[in-house]
Amino acid sequence: AVVEPGCCIIVTGQTLAMILDSPVCTQEFMDIAMKVASVVCCRVTPGQKAEVTRLVKATGRTTLSIGDGGNDVAMIQEAHVGIGLSGKEGLQAARAADFSFAKFKFLQPLLLVHGHYSYMRTCYIVQYCFYKS
């Protein structure tokens, strides 16, 4: 549940390194990060991207990571769902991902169409279970 829907946290790589070095600071950061609408991490290393994804994943939430270059591979592999964009930075992210796209705009049909199909399959199974009971 988002407590502050209009708020966002912006963290730089240097600040994130200090936060991740201390378990107390890491816990405080995650407590705050789970209460805001979004967290933006800028100028971070590939290891920091993967660590933030691992921390969010440890809270029990489903994670989706999107990357377009070799520096995003660790983050994509750590997430529940990884999406790689093939483009100017090469194909490393696209090869490491669960789904690969040529452009970012193709993400919406994936979420809407496949999400709808998944919902319909689940509904069918629930109805079938009620029928068999």
Side-chain angles (χ1 to χ4, degrees):
V2 176
V3 177
E4 298 293 333
C7 293
C8 172
I9 298 175
I10 300 175
V11 182
T12 63
Q14 269 186 325
T15 307
L16 190 59
M18 289 188 284
I19 290 170
L20 296 176
D21 283 341
S22 167
V24 175
C25 290
T26 301
Q27 186 58 45
E28 286 292 321
F29 173 72
M30 289 307 296
D31 290 342
I32 295 169
M34 291 295 121
K35 293 179 183 173
V36 297
S38 63
V39 177
V40 177
C41 300
C42 56
R43 308 298 296 168
V44 296
T45 65
Q48 289 174 328
K49 292 177 184 182
E51 183 63 27
V52 169
T53 305
R54 189 176 304 113
L55 289 170
V56 173
K57 195 174 169 182
T59 65
R61 303 221 176 153
T62 303
T63 58
L64 179 140
S65 292
I66 302 172
D68 64 345
N71 61 338
D72 298 320
V73 171
M75 173 185 65
I76 289 171
Q77 290 177 338
E78 185 62 39
H80 288 106
V81 178
I83 297 177
L85 300 174
S86 56
K88 294 179 183 175
E89 292 193 32
L91 296 174
Q92 293 95 342
R95 289 185 180 136
D98 300 318
F99 298 96
S100 178
F101 297 117
K103 294 184 180 179
F104 189 74
K105 70 179 184 177
F106 299 143
L107 179 62
Q108 184 178 7
L110 171 77
L111 295 176
L112 295 178
V113 173
H114 291 289
H116 175 74
Y117 288 161
S118 175
Y119 176 76
M120 295 305 291
R121 284 188 220 105
T122 303
C123 290
Y124 178 78
I125 293 296
V126 168
Q127 288 177 352
Y128 184 75
C129 289
F130 283 142
Y131 171 74
K132 291 302 280 184
S133 295

